[in-house]
């Protein structure tokens, strides 16, 4: 079950913050941990010290929130961890209306001068950027898995190999199932699990692997 979250950005006399708060916690399944409250600072450049948030849109596929300010700056935050990913100026005029833009995975907005802008996410660049420029590998893996994005294939392969060598076959199967672009769902992976001896009284590792795949959806042609 997904969490029901409320996102908002505020500016006071002393600070400006982006917040994510769980609402409707009484309807959350008892076995789900509480999300709680999370926040992070929104830092404005010196020339825009009087700036403040005016619009917000959520890119659900990525789990990323776009926040647009009065002076035309756009901030990107990862929803689950409340981490700022990026910011840049996208226009010099105030956007008076915004809406989700499915084609770009971002937002579309109209400025007070009538200029129509779209702001989206580059699927091929965001994961390498998070892993390298932000040095946040765990977050890069999380977003790559969530949105089925390229750029973290080697990280998933390393994680899979490490768990497999440690005998953590169930965890390795979960990594293979969650890896984006199906990079680990290959005949070689099936062969690896098939070579592991079964433990009496337990499902064989290859059956556990297929079970996890079926929990995620359909099998591919190899499987």
């Amino acid at each position: 079950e997904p969490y029901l979250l409320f996102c908002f950005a505020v500016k006071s006399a002393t600070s400006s913050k982006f917040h994510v708060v769980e609402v409707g916690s009484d309807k959350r399944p008892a076995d789900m941990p509480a999300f709680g409250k999370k926040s992070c600072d929104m830092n404005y450049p010196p020339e825009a010290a009087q700036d403040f948030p005016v619009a917000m849109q959520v890119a659900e596929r990525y789990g990323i929130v776009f926040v647009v300010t009065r002076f035309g700056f756009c901030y990107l935050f990862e929803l689950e961890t409340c981490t700022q990913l990026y910011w840049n100026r996208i226009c010099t005029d105030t956007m008076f209306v915004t809406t989700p833009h499915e084609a770009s995975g971002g937002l579309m907005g109209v400025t007070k001068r009538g200029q129509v802008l779209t702001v989206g996410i580059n699927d091929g660049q965001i994961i390498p950027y998070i892993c390298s420029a932000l040095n946040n590998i765990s977050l890069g893996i999380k977003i790559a898995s969530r949105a089925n994005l390229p750029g973290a294939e080697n990280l998933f392969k390393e994680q899979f190999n490490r768990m497999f060598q440690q005998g953590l076959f169930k965890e390795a199967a979960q990594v293979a199932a969650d890896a984006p672009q199906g990079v680990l769902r290959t005949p070689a992976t099936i062969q690896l699990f098939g070579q592991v001896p079964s433990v009496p009284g337990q499902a064989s590792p290859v059956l556990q692997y297929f079970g996890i795949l079926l929990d995620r959806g359909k099998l591919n042609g190899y499987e």
Side-chain angles (χ1 to χ4, degrees):
E1 291 289 333
Y3 289 102
L4 182 60
L5 303 177
F6 176 55
C7 307
F8 60 99
V10 294
K11 183 176 183 180
S12 67
T14 58
S15 66
S16 185
K17 289 183 176 292
F18 170 74
H19 298 265
V20 182
V21 180
E22 182 182 6
V23 295
S25 57
D26 57 317
K27 300 179 181 179
R28 173 175 20 92
D31 58 345
M32 282 181 65
F35 184 89
K37 301 178 181 179
K38 300 177 183 179
S39 66
C40 63
D41 292 330
M42 290 185 62
N43 298 311
Y44 301 104
E47 67 273 17
Q50 302 304 312
D51 202 6
F52 55 88
V54 295
M56 180 184 300
Q57 296 294 340
V58 179
E60 293 188 15
R61 176 192 172 195
Y62 307 93
I64 291 176
V65 182
F66 291 73
V67 179
V68 180
T69 70
R70 183 193 175 210
F71 291 173
F73 289 89
C74 184
Y75 293 75
L76 273 63
F77 298 92
E78 198 279 326
L79 184 59
E80 184 178 341
T81 60
C82 201
T83 300
Q84 182 176 313
L85 303 176
Y86 181 78
W87 69 274
N88 208 337
R89 195 166 199 173
I90 57 174
C91 59
T92 55
D93 296 311
T94 302
M95 280 191 178
F96 70 88
V97 65
T98 63
T99 185
H101 189 247
E102 186 175 347
S104 67
L107 63 83
M108 175 182 287
V110 182
T111 70
K112 64 181 182 180
R113 295 190 183 185
Q115 184 182 23
V116 179
L117 300 174
T118 59
V119 182
I121 292 173
N122 187 322
D123 285 358
Q125 297 297 322
I126 184 171
I127 302 304
Y129 169 79
I130 293 171
C131 293
S132 299
L134 301 184
N135 195 29
N136 196 332
I137 293 174
S138 61
L139 186 58
I141 289 175
K142 184 188 295 288
I143 296 176
S145 178
R146 178 190 298 151
N148 193 30
L149 297 176
E153 294 86 351
N154 289 337
L155 297 174
F156 277 91
K157 289 176 182 178
E158 291 172 4
Q159 191 177 29
F160 172 82
N161 290 332
R162 184 170 59 254
M163 290 181 173
F164 200 93
Q165 291 167 5
Q166 293 173 356
L168 302 173
F169 302 119
K170 182 178 179 180
E171 290 79 1
Q174 291 171 338
V175 171
D178 292 338
Q181 313 283 304
V183 294
L184 287 170
R185 296 179 61 172
T186 65
T189 298
I190 297 172
Q191 185 177 13
L192 275 176
F193 280 106
Q195 293 172 348
V196 179
S198 299
V199 176
Q202 297 182 14
S204 67
V206 70
L207 287 180
Q208 292 183 46
Y209 173 57
F210 283 125
I212 289 172
L213 293 179
L214 288 170
D215 286 341
R216 300 292 197 275
K218 297 180 179 180
L219 301 180
N220 62 31
Y222 299 122
E223 296 155 357

